[in-house]
Amino acid sequence: MKLSLDHGCLRGLSWRLEPASDGALERLRPALAGGWVDRTVMASVWHFEAREGAHQLVIVPSTGRLQLRVHYTVPRAARRSTARELARRLAEALGEGEVETDSEDALLAAELLGAQGDVVDPELDGD
Amino acid sequence: MPTNDGSLRNYALSHDLMSMAGAPAVYHCHHFNLFLDQTIDDALGNTDGRKLRFAAAREASHDFLRGLFARLRPTTPAEKIQLATETIAKMGHGRLSISADANGGTAVGEFLHYGYGWAQKYGHRVRCRTPQDAFAAGFAAAALEVTFDLPPSVEAAETQCVAMRAPQCQFSLTKGAPAPRQTSLLASDVLRFARPAFDGQDEQQIATIAKGLRDFTGQVGGDERGLVQAFGVFVTMHLACYYNRIAYGALGELEKRAPTSVPVLESLLRESGHVCVFNTFGGILLSPEWEGMVGRPKTPREVVVGALAIARALGFGHWTLEDFAPNERLVVRAPATYESVYFLARHGKAARPNEYFLQGAVLAIAQLAHRVKWNEKVELTQEFYDSLFHGVVPWKAEQSKATTLGHEYSEVVVTKVA
């Protein structure tokens, strides 16, 4: 399972999941039964919500796109680790191995960690 | 967006203008909302800007709440306050708890859209020095006034705000001197100023996509915190009269105070269209929901068609495609926009083309159609926004027709500049 940042203007909340094995989508629905609630309203887009943490998993069956949405209340610094943990559980449920992330995401992780500090530059104070 | 009885949201379908409990309404994201509020404060100064935003919120909420109570008929003051705060939470504005009687009281806000949105967008980099929730303050004041049948007289001061790193937002509500009561502006009032609807190119496709999006947004409402997170942004169903009152109100004030600064404000109001199209339209076009419903756009024309459908579904008006030549020209027409019908109803005929949001949005659609590589990984970051809109923009937008000038339709022509 590969995990990488997806687009989105709220940093670190949307992640793209790419299962390593073929046929993962068919196995996904039963694999989600335990920890996720099916919130699908359109047949063309499947929507699941995690029982714990209200994170979301959105699946486009026609293209195979999987998007993991970390809940917005998760602090910036913890978003990547939360996404990784959710991806790890999904990979395990699908019988896949380690979760891979790309180097670009490591850069974001550094940025998110840096952003978490509570020190505010008075020169940057905004109105 | 589901509400208590499921029938509060309504579209005037021929014109794609939306209302909520009879009040004109549109969807906008936190990027747009914060940008527009900041623009008003930049134009008038923090104190007068906040006063205008509060007054606009109170007026617009007054009309909205009267319509809401007339439809759902709560009886006791407690029921009315509860209905007001539950409904605004379902519209994505966050949780507001009001403890007050006819003489005033307090309100507490949690996850209020503006304050929380500000903290999410800027809070990690800068500390905010002024409260951000003038809309919630105006709404709370109007809730008291409508509940207790008071004239516009309740003042609400935000004494703590999460944007200033307080744990929650707090408001004090006090009775002040009665303010002049503005004439109500309901959807039925503004729709009288819509010109006859017409269709443009690719009409069937645009209409079909818009319907799908309307159906989708009808299923989406505020979560338990009263926020709507969709398409990578926080979305509100908002009162269109609030936006129009602050935009045209600030322009009117600036024309009196500093007329040479008016073009700067007009330019910023156009930029609010860029902000909206980049963040919300871009977020929708890149979303899995769009990929499943429509398919990822592959050509500039597909982006334009999709964007016009999005505009309609968000309640901006019946935006139609009059002409499109890739890399050369884009012409969008509308028989009414949420700006034009308000302006005509409130102010009458304009002195110049003045649908600033429309002007900026159509230019931004041209930019998105040509400058975003939709088949690659796209991140809607501030840096990307700056590269698209703050550098050399290869397009010029001109509003050539305006219903506010008496024309049969409004038209924005975007052409490539050398």
Side-chain angles (χ1 to χ4, degrees):
Chain A
M1 177 88 74
K2 188 176 172 194
L3 175 72
S4 58
L5 261 182
D6 210 341
H7 76 87
C9 42
L10 291 167
R11 300 288 276 163
L13 291 181
S14 299
W15 297 81
R16 182 179 284 263
L17 286 173
E18 293 168 72
S21 53
D22 289 339
L25 275 192
E26 289 73 41
R27 302 199 309 279
L28 201 55
R29 268 186 186 262
L32 293 171
W36 300 76
V37 181
D38 192 342
R39 302 272 191 219
T40 301
V41 292
M42 288 188 294
S44 56
V45 186
W46 302 344
H47 227 112
F48 295 87
E49 185 178 298
R51 290 185 195 280
E52 200 179 307
H55 313 292
Q56 291 177 39
L57 181 64
V58 186
I59 301 161
V60 185
S62 60
T63 63
R65 180 174 173 188
L66 270 72
Q67 188 182 66
L68 186 61
R69 294 174 181 166
V70 174
H71 196 267
Y72 59 82
T73 51
V74 174
R76 278 179 166 240
R79 288 173 185 172
R80 182 170 183 267
S81 57
T82 302
R84 270 193 71 90
E85 175 56 19
L86 289 164
R88 188 193 64 73
R89 283 190 226 160
L90 283 169
E92 195 176 85
L94 289 171
E96 297 200 355
E98 288 287 295
V99 175
E100 290 175 41
T101 52
D102 61 29
S103 54
E104 200 179 316
D105 296 336
L107 291 174
L108 173 87
E111 182 195 320
L112 293 178
L113 286 168
Q116 188 59 15
D118 216 26
V119 178
V120 176
D121 181 347
E123 295 301 311
L124 291 176
D125 272 12
D127 288 327
Chain B
M1 187 165 297
T3 51
N4 288 16
D5 68 354
S7 65
L8 295 174
R9 186 182 83 156
N10 188 47
Y11 279 86
L13 283 176
S14 56
H15 289 87
D16 292 289
L17 293 170
M18 185 171 69
S19 61
M20 180 69 174
V26 291
Y27 290 107
H28 266 305
C29 77
H30 71 291
H31 297 283
F32 172 86
N33 288 336
L34 295 173
F35 182 89
L36 185 59
D37 268 21
Q38 184 64 54
T39 293
I40 302 308
D41 288 7
D42 289 345
L44 302 182
N46 282 342
T47 304
D48 287 349
R50 199 156 54 245
K51 267 187 201 164
L52 174 60
R53 292 188 286 115
F54 170 77
R58 190 169 68 177
E59 282 168 26
S61 300
H62 221 278
D63 288 346
F64 165 63
L65 288 169
R66 285 162 66 94
L68 182 69
F69 293 175
R71 283 165 175 77
L72 299 185
R73 300 178 185 282
T75 51
T76 66
E79 284 175 4
K80 290 178 180 177
I81 296 283
Q82 189 183 357
L83 176 62
T85 54
E86 278 179 4
T87 306
I88 205 73
K90 284 175 182 159
M91 292 163 67
H93 289 267
R95 289 269 165 211
L96 195 58
S97 306
I98 300 174
S99 307
D101 57 23
N103 295 309
T106 58
V108 173
E110 288 182 287
F111 293 93
L112 292 181
H113 172 82
Y114 282 87
Y116 188 74
W118 199 100
Q120 284 287 312
K121 186 172 168 70
Y122 304 114
H124 63 289
R125 285 187 284 133
V126 293
R127 187 194 301 277
C128 187
R129 286 185 290 197
T130 53
Q132 292 297 310
D133 299 290
F135 179 76
F139 181 84
L144 280 202
E145 290 163 0
V146 179
T147 294
F148 296 106
D149 201 20
L150 304 170
S153 55
V154 176
E155 297 293 333
E158 187 171 16
T159 53
Q160 280 191 26
C161 180
V162 294
M164 300 165 75
R165 302 204 170 168
Q168 58 188 10
C169 298
Q170 292 191 355
F171 304 84
S172 69
L173 304 168
T174 53
K175 261 178 83 174
R181 195 189 286 274
Q182 285 271 0
T183 317
S184 289
L185 270 191
L186 303 176
S188 53
D189 299 317
V190 298
L191 277 171
R192 290 191 294 113
F193 294 91
R195 307 299 304 172
F198 50 82
D199 294 337
Q201 296 179 16
D202 297 317
E203 179 56 35
Q204 190 56 47
Q205 199 185 353
I206 295 170
T208 303
I209 298 171
K211 182 184 180 311
L213 276 175
R214 273 196 303 271
D215 292 345
F216 176 73
T217 55
Q219 308 282 338
V220 178
D223 61 15
E224 70 275 18
R225 293 171 186 81
L227 292 178
V228 178
Q229 189 193 1
F231 309 119
V233 295
F234 289 117
V235 181
T236 52
M237 179 196 267
H238 214 312
L239 303 176
C241 289
Y242 172 75
Y243 296 130
N244 288 315
R245 171 80 163 88
I246 60 176
Y248 292 120
L251 272 170
E253 194 57 35
L254 210 57
E255 274 163 2
K256 283 187 264 175
R257 280 194 211 174
T260 54
S261 300
V262 166
V264 179
L265 177 54
E266 289 179 319
S267 167
L268 286 169
L269 294 174
R270 285 183 202 106
E271 184 168 358
S272 73
H274 305 169
V275 171
C276 169
V277 167
F278 176 81
N279 289 294
T280 303
F281 288 42
I284 292 173
L285 289 166
L286 289 166
S287 69
E289 286 84 352
W290 186 271
E291 192 170 307
M293 276 194 319
V294 185
R296 198 150 182 173
K298 296 183 192 72
T299 65
R301 190 173 192 98
E302 286 179 3
V303 175
V304 169
V305 164
L308 297 180
I310 292 167
R312 292 184 187 187
L314 299 180
F316 295 170
H318 190 68
W319 293 15
T320 64
L321 182 56
E322 173 62 18
D323 188 22
F324 179 58
N327 277 308
E328 288 178 25
R329 174 181 162 88
L330 168 63
V331 182
V332 170
R333 284 184 183 172
T337 64
Y338 78 85
E339 297 172 284
S340 69
V341 290
Y342 170 93
F343 191 88
L344 286 162
R346 182 62 88 202
H347 301 285
K349 206 168 170 183
R352 57 189 178 277
N354 64 347
E355 288 155 273
Y356 303 106
F357 175 79
L358 176 71
Q359 295 166 19
V362 177
L363 183 143
I365 289 169
Q367 267 296 63
L368 280 200
H370 295 92
R371 296 280 303 280
V372 176
K373 293 173 180 168
W374 296 95
N375 56 349
E376 295 178 10
K377 187 171 177 177
V378 178
E379 281 227 50
L380 299 173
T381 61
Q382 186 62 43
E383 295 73 30
F384 188 33
Y385 175 86
D386 290 342
S387 76
L388 289 183
F389 296 104
H390 287 165
V392 176
V393 179
W395 301 99
K396 182 182 73 173
E398 184 193 3
Q399 184 167 5
S400 48
K401 305 271 185 193
T403 57
T404 55
L405 293 177
H407 298 136
E408 276 300 295
Y409 51 83
S410 293
E411 178 181 84
V412 174
V413 179
V414 176
T415 46
K416 191 83 177 271
V417 290

